[in-house]
Amino acid sequence: MIAAPAPPTPAPARPLADAEALSGWRVRLADAEALEQGLYASLAQRPDADLSACVGEMTSYRQTALETLLAAARTPDKVWEERVEEQSLQWGRTILKILSRTRGGAFSRQLTAARAHHRTTHWTPAPACGYCRAPQEFEHLTSPLGLTDRRTLRCPKCGPALSLPPTLDPPDITVPPAFHPGQPAEIHVTFPEQARGLFAVHLRPRSTRRGSYDHTDLTVTPGRHTIPLTPSATDTSLELDRIWVVHADRFHVAYHQRRLPLLPHPDPTVHQQ
């Protein structure tokens, strides 16, 4: 008796994790494109050559990542996600450059662009502002385009303090009570266990002169980072300084703002360097 031939072995299905990963990256790339579109809209109203160059670089990295993603959807290989991760890292490095390469840091432009394709669903109460003690509110945002939701924190007197997607947990940021011209101060930024990506800590005066007092780019690792920042010794006018912490990870961005006064040193024997 001749045995019937064994049925052909079915081709292995693509692992579900690959499909989930592809879908997750598609959403992140759509989020990045929406942010870039918001920045391009801002440039149409108020040109800035440095900001335009940064956004152009971001778009180039995102498009390369999208091409890798589309190729992986057709013919997945073992390293496609590593290539997308590398493009997201370059995209993140570029968006952090906006703070130091543009005249005003473009912080408010980024905040506006990050919510350009979202709408407010509701508000919830939040702790009082650390600077003026006014009551703050959380604003919860969703997108009719299917983009990732966002949450913002706003003080009615000081303005925005936070804007982030749910994929990025906010770090704990500890700041001194005030800055003094020419005197270093320590900023402490503590990230949760699962945090990753890149972040920048940026000090800028109220004025819109090019550059900042001080700026640091770092790789995110869980735990506490201590960042020394020094206000310029030549800017002695008393004003409100801003600390910006920007966290970029896999085409998602979170923004944090703290406001501190610039005051004369309480010890008159301490001379500026």
Side-chain angles (χ1 to χ4, degrees):
M1 181 176 181
I2 301 175
T9 303
R14 193 173 70 190
L16 181 61
D18 277 355
E20 292 176 349
L22 288 165
S23 177
W25 280 112
R26 286 191 188 99
V27 174
R28 288 176 179 270
L29 287 167
D31 293 337
E33 183 178 12
L35 176 60
E36 294 161 18
Q37 288 178 349
L39 290 171
Y40 281 127
S42 170
L43 287 166
Q45 297 178 351
R46 184 158 54 99
D48 182 318
D50 292 321
L51 177 58
S52 179
C54 286
V55 182
E57 292 174 25
M58 290 163 57
T59 299
S60 176
Y61 291 128
R62 176 185 54 77
Q63 289 177 339
T64 300
L66 179 59
E67 292 168 3
T68 302
L69 199 69
L70 294 175
R74 295 189 299 268
T75 311
D77 58 40
K78 295 181 179 180
V79 296
W80 70 265
E81 196 160 14
E82 294 179 14
R83 295 197 294 270
V84 175
E85 288 270 11
E86 177 58 30
Q87 295 305 311
S88 75
L89 191 65
Q90 297 299 332
W91 188 91
R93 288 194 179 105
T94 305
I95 202 168
L96 297 186
K97 291 178 185 177
I98 293 176
L99 296 176
S100 56
R101 282 178 56 177
T102 59
R103 182 175 180 83
F107 192 77
S108 62
R109 293 202 197 199
Q110 292 187 65
L111 289 176
T112 301
R115 59 177 297 152
H117 298 85
H118 290 72
R119 59 179 177 82
T120 305
T121 59
H122 63 284
W123 297 80
T124 56
C129 174
Y131 179 76
C132 73
R133 308 311 302 170
Q136 301 182 110
E137 284 188 304
F138 283 116
E139 179 188 18
H140 302 266
L141 300 155
T142 190
S143 170
L145 302 179
L147 304 174
T148 303
D149 293 345
R150 291 192 75 86
R151 180 167 62 104
T152 73
L153 176 63
R154 179 174 292 274
C155 170
K157 295 183 179 180
C158 298
L162 170 72
S163 174
L164 80 170
T167 53
L168 298 180
D169 292 327
D172 178 46
I173 303 172
T174 305
V175 299
F179 284 121
H180 308 289
Q183 300 299 316
E186 290 186 345
I187 312 299
H188 302 287
V189 181
T190 304
F191 284 96
E193 184 63 32
Q194 69 276 15
R196 49 174 292 171
L198 304 167
F199 77 105
V201 182
H202 183 85
L203 172 62
R204 183 175 289 272
R206 182 188 296 241
S207 65
T208 57
R209 65 177 174 82
R210 182 174 296 276
S212 64
Y213 282 165
D214 210 349
H215 177 94
T216 301
D217 290 337
L218 293 168
T219 299
V220 172
T221 54
R224 193 185 202 200
H225 300 257
T226 298
I227 301 97
L229 298 179
T230 304
S232 171
T234 61
D235 285 338
T236 57
S237 59
L238 306 185
E239 61 179 350
L240 184 67
D241 282 2
R242 301 178 177 94
I243 295 173
W244 297 335
V245 178
V246 178
H247 176 199
D249 178 32
R250 289 167 289 182
F251 297 108
H252 279 175
V253 190
Y255 302 96
H256 310 266
Q257 177 171 246
R258 295 293 181 89
R259 300 191 172 203
L260 295 177
L262 181 70
L263 303 175
H265 201 283
D267 183 355
T269 64
V270 176
H271 300 287
Q272 299 170 8
Q273 300 298 318

